[in-house]
Amino acid sequence: MIKQSIALTLSLLTLNAQAQSEKPLFCVWDILGKSGEVYNLILDQSLHMARLGMPFELRAYTDERIAVEDYRAGQCVGLVASGFRVRPFNGISGSIDSMGSSLVMRAGKVDMAASYEVLRRVIAAFSSPQAAKLMREGSNEVGGILPIGAAYPMLKDRSATRIDQLAGKRIGVFDQDKPQAILIQQLGAQAVSVDISNVGSKFNNGMVDMIHLPAITYKPFELAKGMGTQGTVVRVPAMFPTVQMLFNADKLPPGFGEASRQFWLSQFDRQMQNIQRAEAAIPPKVWSEVAPDVLPAYVEALKEGRLVGARQGLYAKRTLNLLKKARCSASPENAECTSPTEVD
C-alpha cells in the first residue's frame, strides 16, 4: 500500500513537472535582460495571464536578432521585440514606428504630451476587439504595443543640428528601417548600417556622427562617452519606436491575443513613467532645442520619409492615415490637416 502511494505521488509530481515544462515559451528582448523594465513588465503579464488560465514562460535576450531568429525557428511560441523587428510579421502594427508619425506641432514647438497621446490613441485602436483581424497575419498575431520612448537625434557636434547641415555626415541607421536610410541619402548624408547590439559602440568609437535612439539607451550604452563635451541630444523626435509582443496564434488558447493586448494597453502609463525617468536622467546641459524657424524643415523631412516608405510598400498606408487622423485631432490647425489622409 505504501509502495503504491509513493508511486502515485511520484507519478503526480512527474505529470506536474511535465505540465510546468510545457508552458508556452516567450522570447523576450530587453537591452538590460532580466533587469530591464520591458522584461519585468512581461513577467507581470505572465502572472496575470496565468490567473486567466493562459500561462507562459519567459526567456530573456539582450540580442534582439537572436530572439527573432529563435521565434522564426519555432523555439519560442511568442516574441517581444521592437516594432522594427515585428514589421515583417505585421505591417499594420509595425508601421507605428514610421518617421515622425506621432509628432504633434503646436505654436512652432514640439508638443510631447500631445505626441504621446497620439500614440496612445492609435495603440488603443489596435488593441480593441474591432481591430483583432488587423493584428493577425497568417499564424502571427500581435499581442501588445507600447512606446519605448521618443528616438532623439544624438550628435557628436552640437553646432550641426539643422537638416541642411547633415550633408556628408555619417548617420547610423537600423537595418530594418529602410525608409530612413533612403531619406538620409536624399539629404546628402551617408547611411551607416547599425544594429541594437552595436549602435552604441559605433557611436562611441566615432564610426558614426549621429544616431537616433530613445533616452533609455543613454546610460546602458554609455553614449556620454561618444558625445564628449561637444555632443548633444536634440529635443525633436525622429520617431516614436515601440516594443511589441508577437505570438503564434495557432499554438495558444483562443482569446489570448485580446487579453494580452488589453493588459499591454493598461500598462501605458507605467511605461510612460519609465520613459520620463530615463529622459530626466540625461543631464540638462546635454539637451539642445531647435529654433522655431528651423523646426518645419525637420517635420517636412520626416513626412517625406514616411511617404517614401509608403510608396515602396514598407509602411502600411492604413496605419499612416490613422496616425495622421490622430495628429490632426490633437492639433487641427496644422497645415497638413487640410487634407483628410496622408497617403491614398
Side-chain angles (χ1 to χ4, degrees):
M1 192 71 175
I2 295 175
K3 288 183 178 180
Q4 289 177 337
S5 177
I6 293 174
L8 179 60
T9 300
L10 290 173
S11 177
L12 289 172
L13 289 172
T14 301
L15 288 172
N16 184 59
Q18 288 175 345
Q20 291 292 324
S21 66
E22 289 170 2
K23 288 181 184 178
L25 179 64
F26 276 62
C27 297
V28 180
W29 166 73
D30 189 310
I31 59 174
L32 297 179
K34 290 185 177 181
S35 62
E37 299 287 357
V38 171
Y39 181 87
N40 280 282
L41 185 147
I42 308 306
L43 184 60
D44 288 348
Q45 182 191 2
S46 70
L47 299 175
H48 171 75
M49 298 300 283
R51 289 192 290 270
L52 298 179
M54 296 180 281
F56 62 88
E57 293 184 338
L58 286 66
R59 179 188 294 165
Y61 291 74
T62 55
D63 190 322
E64 187 181 26
R65 178 182 54 81
I66 295 176
V68 175
E69 288 178 355
D70 282 358
Y71 176 73
R72 284 186 187 276
Q75 294 187 34
C76 310
V77 172
L79 170 71
V80 176
S82 66
F84 289 146
R85 294 284 188 179
V86 170
R87 191 182 300 155
F89 300 95
N90 190 296
I92 296 289
S93 69
S95 296
I96 292 178
D97 294 41
S98 51
M99 287 176 281
S101 58
S102 300
L103 187 62
V104 174
M105 304 296 301
R106 184 174 284 122
K109 295 181 179 180
V110 175
D111 189 330
M112 290 300 294
S115 298
Y116 277 113
E117 185 56 30
V118 165
L119 202 54
R120 184 201 295 267
R121 289 185 185 184
V122 172
I123 290 174
F126 285 159
S127 301
S128 69
Q130 293 79 8
K133 290 183 178 179
L134 297 176
M135 293 298 95
R136 181 166 178 173
E137 291 186 13
S139 61
N140 297 299
E141 184 170 342
V142 176
I145 309 166
L146 280 173
I148 298 176
Y152 297 102
M154 299 183 178
L155 300 84
K156 288 182 168 293
D157 182 3
R158 66 170 54 237
S159 68
T161 59
R162 299 198 313 269
I163 289 290
D164 60 2
Q165 294 174 311
L166 295 182
K169 299 291 184 182
R170 296 163 300 170
I171 302 177
V173 180
F174 289 98
D175 294 335
Q176 301 78 34
D177 197 14
K178 294 180 181 178
Q180 188 182 18
I182 295 169
L183 176 62
I184 285 170
Q185 291 166 354
Q186 289 178 348
L187 294 173
Q190 178 185 352
V192 178
S193 174
V194 297
D195 190 78
I196 198 68
S197 63
N198 62 30
V199 61
S201 61
K202 284 191 174 183
F203 181 71
N204 292 341
N205 294 331
M207 299 173 69
V208 293
D209 305 304
M210 177 180 176
I211 53 178
H212 296 87
L213 287 174
I216 58 167
T217 64
Y218 185 80
K219 283 191 173 181
F221 290 176
E222 300 181 321
L223 299 177
K225 291 182 179 179
M227 291 184 191
T229 58
Q230 300 302 314
T232 188
V233 179
V234 183
R235 209 185 292 271
V236 181
M239 64 189 70
F240 289 78
T242 61
V243 60
Q244 302 188 18
M245 174 177 278
L246 191 73
F247 64 91
N248 186 329
D250 294 337
K251 296 184 178 181
L252 287 172
F256 184 94
E258 184 173 344
S260 179
R261 289 188 290 273
Q262 288 302 312
F263 177 86
W264 276 59
L265 182 61
S266 73
Q267 301 301 301
F268 191 96
D269 289 337
R270 168 184 175 177
Q271 185 67 357
M272 284 303 305
Q273 291 174 359
N274 296 334
I275 292 167
Q276 289 162 0
R277 279 197 299 270
E279 294 193 358
I282 298 178
K285 65 180 181 180
V286 175
W287 292 96
S288 64
E289 307 293 336
V290 171
D293 61 323
V294 176
L295 206 48
Y298 268 98
V299 176
E300 189 59 32
L302 294 173
K303 179 180 179 180
E304 178 58 28
R306 291 197 301 275
L307 295 178
V308 166
R311 286 194 291 265
Q312 297 199 7
L314 301 172
Y315 292 148
K317 294 179 181 180
R318 183 193 291 261
T319 303
L320 296 189
N321 288 334
L322 181 61
L323 284 158
K324 178 178 179 177
K325 183 178 180 180
R327 289 196 307 273
C328 289
S329 176
S331 186
E333 68 276 8
N334 284 337
E336 69 165 337
C337 300
T338 56
S339 59
T341 58
E342 179 140 278
V343 288
D344 297 320

